[in-house]
Amino acid sequence: MFKGRDIISIKDFSKEEILHILDVAEEMFPIAEGRKKSNLLNGYIMGSLFFEPSTRTRLSFEAAMKRLGGDVIGFAMPTTTSIQKGETLADTIRTAESYCDVIVMRHPKEGSARMAAEFAKVPIINGGDGAGHHPTQCLLDLFTIRREKGQIEGNKIALLGDLKYGRTVHSLAYALALFKVEMVFISPPELQMPKEVVEECREMGAKITIKNELNGLEDIDVLYVTRIQKERFPDPEEYKKVAGSYRIDLKTLEKAKDDMIVMHPLPRVDEISPEVDKTKHAAYFRQTFNGVPVRMALLALVLGVVE
Ligand code: CP
């Protein structure tokens, strides 16, 4: 079902396939924690090609591969490669695939992962392509919600911040619609969720409320906060108008349900006050860790080592 498959967009997967990935990730959990040893991917090499900055995606993929006994080659700075001499993405991919069994890539250009998959014979895993997709983040977000809340269905989930440029929230909204959850989209008017995403999610059966004010958190089960991404704004003046629009602090959380969790794909800038880190609501560092078992599951599945 998964052997040899590219992981480009969450839309390429059915609900059943997503649940299967989450189940495999659950089995990987003790290995990710280092409590159980594994040589499942011994002899396999992962190419880690990062054309754009990353901390979590790159390090958790590398940790996932190494915890499963595999090896990693690659780069985190394209300036150290022949891309500097004008080599194309297609040639870089064709070269890298001759040295490894699976490629994880992040690239600033939307559509680049899909294009790479057309050239490559080895599976391509999209670690984020510009404002496009970030399917592995979406899967680890779903995994986190299921682990923290027991199930995905039945939760009321608020997505807050930059819903226009945030690739993680586009993928997540779509995936949550598969589970027919109720969603609230909160953003400045300039950064609203694209209309086509809203319409598609509604057509799939999701109940959606759209608003600009950060209030009414009393019945929210999951508050998913995003950074307003300076690097995605074509005009820096437009960024200045919306920077710092929302900040989650202890006061914001006063009226929240006792078991409401706060998630964030990270990195954060100032949208969650550090004082929130010690509260029972803060789930974002556990969410970050969950990238390891989920990415282990994906690597093992596309390499055909588990089914
Ligand atoms: N969440 C996420 O993609 O983080 P990085 O940009 O650090 O990889």
Side-chain angles (χ1 to χ4, degrees):
M1 186 162 68
F2 285 95
K3 187 176 178 183
R5 242 171 116 168
D6 303 306
I7 312 283
I8 307 297
S9 161
I10 197 70
K11 288 188 168 180
D12 300 336
F13 296 89
S14 67
K15 182 177 166 185
E16 288 65 37
E17 287 174 328
I18 289 172
L19 287 171
H20 181 61
I21 296 167
L22 304 193
D23 289 344
V24 176
E26 204 58 61
E27 285 168 31
M28 298 288 179
F29 204 87
I31 308 169
E33 288 182 310
R35 287 190 287 117
K36 191 173 155 188
K37 302 295 169 205
S38 170
N39 263 324
L40 202 60
L41 296 185
N42 189 13
Y44 289 94
I45 297 176
M46 180 185 92
S48 172
L49 312 189
F50 278 71
F51 300 84
E52 202 186 42
S54 164
T55 299
R56 280 144 290 271
T57 309
R58 186 171 70 83
L59 295 184
S60 62
F61 260 116
E62 293 188 6
M65 196 65 189
K66 290 182 182 212
R67 289 274 195 209
L68 290 175
D71 268 314
V72 179
I73 57 168
F75 55 83
M77 290 280 289
T79 46
T80 62
T81 73
S82 287
I83 293 157
Q84 278 301 95
K85 303 174 202 159
E87 186 160 53
T88 62
L89 176 62
D91 284 358
T92 304
I93 295 292
R94 285 190 192 108
T95 304
E97 74 166 344
S98 62
Y99 308 139
C100 63
D101 306 292
V102 56
I103 290 175
V104 176
M105 65 175 275
R106 169 172 288 189
H107 197 281
K109 205 165 164 204
E110 201 169 332
S112 52
R114 185 83 66 194
M115 192 193 105
E118 280 166 22
F119 291 107
K121 290 180 205 73
V122 302
I124 297 284
I125 303 181
N126 182 7
D129 60 334
H133 300 278
H134 196 356
T136 67
Q137 178 71 44
C138 181
L139 288 163
L140 80 87
D141 292 341
L142 295 173
F143 182 77
T144 302
I145 294 169
R146 194 172 78 164
R147 263 205 148 230
E148 299 275 331
K149 308 300 291 180
Q151 59 177 28
I152 297 167
E153 291 92 342
N155 289 298
K156 186 167 179 182
I157 301 182
L159 307 184
L160 171 75
D162 175 3
L163 306 187
K164 180 179 178 183
Y165 296 113
R167 59 190 167 202
T168 60
V169 280
H170 300 167
S171 304
L172 185 59
Y174 173 83
L176 291 172
L178 281 178
F179 291 87
K180 303 206 182 334
V181 303
E182 189 175 347
M183 288 183 266
V184 185
F185 296 160
I186 312 168
S187 70
E190 300 88 337
L191 294 179
Q192 279 188 1
M193 187 69 89
K195 272 198 179 70
E196 60 273 17
V197 178
V198 177
E199 278 165 20
E200 191 175 10
C201 291
R202 281 188 173 142
E203 275 164 24
M204 291 164 71
K207 188 176 167 209
I208 295 170
T209 310
I210 297 171
K211 54 192 220 176
N212 306 129
E213 301 303 321
L214 174 59
N215 55 24
L217 290 183
E218 295 82 353
D219 62 347
I220 297 296
D221 300 296
V222 178
L223 176 62
Y224 191 98
V225 186
T226 63
R227 176 174 64 96
I228 299 199
Q229 302 176 89
K230 191 177 182 180
E231 68 274 24
R232 306 267 178 241
F233 280 74
D235 178 357
E237 288 308 309
E238 291 302 309
Y239 169 73
K240 279 188 198 156
K241 279 188 212 161
V242 289
S245 294
Y246 307 106
R247 184 172 169 85
I248 305 300
D249 55 20
L250 296 182
K251 187 152 179 50
T252 327
L253 296 175
E254 266 170 13
K255 287 188 182 158
K257 276 182 171 179
D258 240 27
D259 61 351
M260 183 191 83
I261 57 165
V262 179
M263 293 174 64
H264 192 310
L266 302 179
R268 71 175 147 178
V269 182
D270 54 8
E271 57 279 3
I272 301 180
S273 165
E275 66 192 14
V276 175
D277 297 359
K278 287 199 178 76
T279 70
K280 54 185 178 276
H281 301 291
Y284 31 92
F285 290 115
R286 292 193 293 278
Q287 178 186 358
T288 296
F289 170 77
N290 289 340
V292 182
V294 168
R295 288 167 174 141
M296 280 176 164
L298 288 169
L299 289 166
L301 284 162
V302 301
L303 289 169
V305 177
V306 298
E307 286 194 347

